């Protein structure tokens, strides 16, 4: 079982293009883990509930204009303002299933042409994920899935650039799952990855993101 002994919770991040299925899979994974008696919460970034998050949300809805570097730093600040509560949740044994994290931060800003190292720098020192699951869906395929909403970035040419940058960020904590497989198949793979991760990191200390 996914278990919940005495150790810390796991930081599990889902990443992928818009319409790759992240939000649905996060919800499914969360209810599975809860059903297994595992303490878990679903989080997402941007967290639009804070005042920084509201600025980001207005920007994404094209209701405001912001300089590219400025909005990049707001996205990072939106993670920093949640760092302390993330840490205390994890240390108290709650697993966090997080829809987007620093990898979205870098991939989307780099797709605008910002320098990658510059993009990574403000997130150094955030909590490092124990597992990053990348839902791999071709930009063309993602755009067919009920189309995009009206938010900034939801355009196929831009999503292609984002996909290239995601690719260059992959490291040993990443597991790539084929997001074009049937929803139940993807769900099954995520259950196994998350369950293993939760068991393995119970006794491991939290570490900071260094890229
Ligand atoms: P959602 O559709 O998932 O709410 O995301 N984004 C996200 C960034 O550009 N930088 C970030 O740091 C994060 C977390 C991805 C809204 C959009 O915000 C983008 C899509
Ligand atoms: Mg979106």
């Amino acid at each position: 079982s996914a278990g919940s002994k005495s150790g810390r919770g796991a930081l599990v991040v889902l990443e992928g293009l818009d319409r790759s299925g992240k939000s649905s899979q996060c919800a499914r994974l969360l209810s599975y883990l809860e059903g297994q008696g595992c303490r878990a919460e679903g989080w997402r970034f941007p967290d639009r509930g804070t005042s920084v998050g509201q600025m980001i949300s207005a920007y994404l809805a094209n209701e405001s204009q912001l300089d590219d570097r400025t909005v990049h730093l707001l996205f990072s600040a939106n993670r920093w303002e949640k760092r302390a509560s993330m840490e205390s949740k994890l240390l108290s044994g709650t697993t966090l299933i997080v829809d987007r994290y620093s990898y979205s931060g870098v991939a989307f800003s780099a797709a605008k042409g910002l320098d990658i190292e510059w993009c990574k720098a403000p997130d150094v020192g955030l909590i490092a994920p124990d597992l990053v699951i990348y839902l791999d869906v071709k930009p063309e395929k993602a755009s067919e899935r009920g189309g995009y909403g009206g938010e900034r970035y939801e355009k196929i040419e831009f999503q292609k650039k984002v996909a290239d940058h995601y690719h260059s960020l992959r490291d040993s904590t990443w597991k790539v799952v084929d997001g074009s497989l049937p929803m139940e198949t993807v769900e099954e793979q995520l259950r196994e990855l998350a369950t293993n991760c939760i068991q393995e990191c119970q006794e491991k200390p939290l570490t900071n993101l260094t890229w």
Side-chain angles (χ1 to χ4, degrees), residues 18 44-46 48 60 75 79 99-101 104-105 108 151 153:
D18 284 286
R44 69 179 308 145
F45 290 107
R48 303 187 192 214
L60 290 171
F75 274 112
R79 287 183 282 279
D99 186 344
R100 296 191 188 280
Y101 198 55
S104 284
F108 280 75
E151 288 210 321
Y153 306 148

Side-chain angles (χ1 to χ4, degrees), residues 15-19 22-23 44-48 56 59-60 71-72 74-76 78-79 99-109 112 123 151-154 158-159 162 166:
E15 286 282 5
L17 298 178
D18 284 286
R19 310 298 297 151
K22 291 183 305 305
S23 304
R44 69 179 308 145
F45 290 107
D47 180 331
R48 303 187 192 214
I56 292 170
Y59 170 81
L60 290 171
V71 77
H72 181 79
L74 289 179
F75 274 112
S76 179
N78 187 231
R79 287 183 282 279
D99 186 344
R100 296 191 188 280
Y101 198 55
S102 305
Y103 312 92
S104 284
V106 174
F108 280 75
S109 289
K112 297 172 170 176
D123 280 25
E151 288 210 321
R152 210 184 278 263
Y153 306 148
E154 295 178 342
F158 189 77
Q159 297 281 321
V162 173
Y166 267 132

Side-chain angles (χ1 to χ4, degrees), residues 111-123:
K112 297 172 170 176
L114 296 187
D115 178 73
I116 296 212
E117 296 309 316
W118 187 90
C119 291
K120 287 177 176 176
D123 280 25

Side-chain angles (χ1 to χ4, degrees), residues 81-160:
E81 64 185 342
K82 294 288 168 182
R83 191 194 183 288
S85 69
M86 265 179 136
E87 181 169 28
S88 61
K89 291 275 180 188
L90 291 165
L91 291 178
S92 74
T94 300
T95 284
L96 303 180
I97 305 298
V98 185
D99 186 344
R100 296 191 188 280
Y101 198 55
S102 305
Y103 312 92
S104 284
V106 174
F108 280 75
S109 289
K112 297 172 170 176
L114 296 187
D115 178 73
I116 296 212
E117 296 309 316
W118 187 90
C119 291
K120 287 177 176 176
D123 280 25
V124 169
L126 289 174
I127 301 173
D130 297 295
L131 170 65
V132 179
I133 299 171
Y134 183 73
L135 288 186
D136 195 14
V137 176
K138 298 271 161 293
E140 294 81 1
K141 179 117 182 179
S143 73
E144 287 164 10
R145 290 183 166 175
Y148 297 131
E151 288 210 321
R152 210 184 278 263
Y153 306 148
E154 295 178 342
K155 298 185 184 73
I156 190 159
E157 287 312 316
F158 189 77
Q159 297 281 321
K160 284 180 185 170

Side-chain angles (χ1 to χ4, degrees), residues 12-33:
V12 177
V13 169
L14 265 75
E15 286 282 5
L17 298 178
D18 284 286
R19 310 298 297 151
S20 59
K22 291 183 305 305
S23 304
S24 316
Q25 291 294 344
C26 279
R28 285 167 174 247
L29 180 58
L30 188 65
S31 61
Y32 168 76
L33 292 173

